[in-house]
């Protein structure tokens, strides 16, 4: 939500998380990257992926939609 003007409120309208493989105590370092796909007047959508930094394997991915609440 860093792409919205300061003070703009938002709330999650939809969230989907997909766990692909387990993360154990001995799992190597993971990296999460999120991308805003669309930021409009009333909604915003984004996706994220969690991958292993050493093996490049996908551990989880998610999508979300937020309702943008412009006050005033």
């Amino acid at each position: 939500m860093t792409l919205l003007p300061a003070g703009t409120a938002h709330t999650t309208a939809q969230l989907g998380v997909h766990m692909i493989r387990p993360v154990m105590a001995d799992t190597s370092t993971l990296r999460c990257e999120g991308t805003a796909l669309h930021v409009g007047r009333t909604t915003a959508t984004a996706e994220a992926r969690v991958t292993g930094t050493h093996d490049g394997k996908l551990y989880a991915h998610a999508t979300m939609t937020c309702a943008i609440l412009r006050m005033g």
Side-chain angles (χ1 to χ4, degrees), residues 7-65:
T8 303
H10 63 280
T11 188
T12 303
Q14 182 179 28
L15 177 65
V17 180
H18 304 274
M19 307 293 189
I20 305 301
R21 56 179 37 91
V23 175
M24 311 302 259
D26 62 347
T27 300
S28 64
T29 305
L30 300 174
R31 175 183 176 94
C32 181
E33 276 190 66
T35 304
L37 301 175
H38 168 78
V39 180
R41 191 175 62 80
T42 58
T43 62
T45 60
E47 66 183 9
R49 298 169 52 92
V50 178
T51 55
T53 59
H54 292 79
D55 58 14
K57 291 181 179 179
L58 181 65
Y59 283 78
H61 60 97
T63 58
M64 65 163 281
T65 301

